[in-house]
Amino acid sequence: MAKRTDLHNEINGNVTGPVVQANTIHQIVLSAPPPSSTRIPRQLPPALRDFAGRTEQLASLDTLLDAHVRNDSAGMPLAVLDGTAGVGKTALAVQWAHRVQHHFTDGTLYADLRGYGPNAPLASALVLAAFLGDLGVSEDRIPAEMDTQTALYRSVLAARRVLVLLDNAGSAEQVRPLLPGAPGCLVLVTSRASLTGLAVAEAATPLSVDLFTKAEAEDLVRGIIGGNRVEAEATAVVELIRVCARLPLAVRVAATRIAMRPHITVADVVEDIICEEDRLDALSSGGDDRSAVRTVFDWSYTQLPAEQALLFRRLGLHPGPEFSVEAAAVLASITPARAYRLLEVLTAIHLVEPVARRRYRCHDLLHTYAAHRAKLDDSAEDRQAAVTAVITWYARTAQTADRLVFPGLAALDIALPPVGVEVLLADRAQSLSWLDLELTNLGAALRAACRLQLAEAALCCAEAARFLTFRHRALWPVRVDMHSQGISTAQNAGNRLAAASMFTLRANANFDLGRLAEAEADYRSELALGEELGNPRRQYSALVGLGQVRQSQERLPEALACFRQALPFARQVGDPRPEAVVECNLSAVSVQLGQFHHALAHAERELWLRQQAGDQVGEAYALYGAAVATQGLGGHGKAIALAEEAVELFSQLIGTEKYRATTLAMAATSAEHLGHLHRAHRLLREAAALLEGFDKAQAEVLTVRAAVLESRLPDGP
């Protein structure tokens, strides 16, 4: 088998089939096509129906756009909306973007950078990777390094007209890699900070978003409760705006409450809020805007029935920026059906907001306030129980998903207790979907578990991060980070077996990223722990990893020695799969050394072991390995026959298109050697067609090769 530099720990698209690896996750990669590159992204959140005010800022943005339309060669316009929390920056940005996005014919990109909130700011590399995918770049072309991502992003947008809205930025450094630079694009940023660095270095136009004027606040109240009530109680409306400190979020919360209670007057509500302010003087001391907002939130909160109030304050204990119905149910110890009904009520009064079907988030201010109410109204024991339950729920569900994604791989022997709510994951595809959706929350749950010394939950979250093997390279540094936290957790808990497993996972991630020195150090740490524990699985795994590092370094005799050293440990595991893994690697390195007889013997042994393990993907790949070795021995007819067996088996397995294409291309080489040029040409065209959807570079190579061969075709079939 020729050297397989194209085999990495990577799967493109949504993978629904099984996976086989040469070590843990290195050799077989199964891919499905990514979405079409012809789509135009339109990602803006919904605009508010009752948006009010901001005439001055909207006019300034219109002026910026008009100048850009008249002369888009003058450079890329960049505007920064800054202002305090709850002042309505996002609402303003989204409202304007909806109005003007028709000018940007190639799409509208949106990202919440989470610069301020309960979770860590979103890494720019993750946003770049998502944007590139949304712009039609296939996952196999998205690099892991942020500088390279930025260069590709700017190249893709160089001739396009795209509006980019970067919401809730934490710093200029977070924003800069996300700036297209193309004169046809326009970027709008919102932040609590002024981001003066962008004004200095990138010529950004700063626009401050201040508190509402009295007229703007009145317009918002009018839009929510109706003009008749505003006219009937004009004085009370003025007082309502005062007690809300003219902060749009507070005005909206209070006015929505009034709209939902037509039997009471605005004056009654104002009196209630003032009484709340007097009663809760600890929250309102100082008379600043934040205190006034707290007062409005307190008033709204105290109007909630007990069950709604409990759910709302427990949401403040959630570790991540958004949450599902099931997570909310766990926090409040209620059923998902009940949680859904309560969340819809909280949505109606603007204490939470929907982000997708059965998913919600709290505004940063409201999340902080909810946590504050939990501290006031719940005992320390109840808060601890709720946080432990939701972290355990994430860890337990992640563990279930991990087992479905990696049914053949060793896993940590951890039994987490049930918490009353289960997510039903039927198969591998559903598991990958859940892990994708909850990645940010898994990271937040992992950090919280480490902080609270919930070692078993932390280890399950850290282990489940290996699913990112099947996602684009930009996410692989997240694997490294989460596995590193798993290593620290295991070491702090004195769990050497778990530490060895985590070293393996981090080594694999480093290997995939090309960080061979770091990968080798981790494999050696795993090997040392395996020797201390007398654990053959950890010893075999580490030695195979070290062998693959040597193979990548072209130190083939040393690689061969590592694989041979791993073989007896693999046999001690008591499962045919580890031995098959070693045989696969021995076959591959033997091909590189030109030892084709040895390569064939190892591939045939691997084939038998894969069959014993019931591993169909591994069986197909072993047939491919045998075909490559046979081809090296000059047995081209036999090589084609073996390749045909592999192709037939791959064709029955979802997600193996890339490896079916590789096998077809190999068979084409043997067909060409035999003088069967028409057959070779057909095989190359078929292989190129399979790769077109997700590996365009390799598809182009095969297409060129087919074209060259076509020029040599004799007349007739």
Side-chain angles (χ1 to χ4, degrees), residues 326-463:
E326 291 76 15
V330 171
L331 282 165
S333 297
I334 55 180
T335 67
R338 187 60 184 157
Y340 178 68
R341 288 192 289 272
L342 295 176
L343 285 168
E344 287 296 293
V345 173
L346 294 175
T347 297
I349 56 178
H350 293 286
L351 292 180
V352 301
E353 55 187 290
V355 294
R357 182 177 180 274
R358 295 175 65 85
R359 292 187 73 80
Y360 303 82
R361 70 181 294 274
C362 280
H363 187 284
D364 297 343
L365 277 182
L366 286 164
H367 188 278
T368 300
Y369 175 76
H372 167 79
R373 291 305 317 197
K375 189 173 182 179
L376 285 180
D377 299 344
D378 289 330
S379 67
E381 293 76 12
D382 286 344
R383 294 196 306 273
Q384 175 70 25
V387 171
T388 299
V390 78
I391 290 172
T392 301
W393 178 80
Y394 277 114
R396 183 180 167 89
T397 310
Q399 183 186 57
T400 299
D402 179 77
R403 301 302 184 266
L404 288 167
V405 173
F406 300 105
L409 292 189
L412 295 173
D413 185 15
I414 293 175
L416 293 170
V419 291
V421 175
E422 298 288 343
V423 175
L424 300 178
L425 300 173
D427 53 27
R428 192 161 180 266
Q430 286 187 10
S431 298
L432 281 169
S433 178
W434 186 88
L435 290 165
D436 277 334
L437 186 63
E438 298 291 1
L439 174 58
T440 299
N441 284 327
L442 283 178
L446 171 56
R447 287 188 292 274
C450 292
R451 185 174 65 252
L452 297 172
Q453 298 183 345
L454 301 173
E456 291 190 334
L459 287 170
C460 288
C461 291
E463 182 178 53

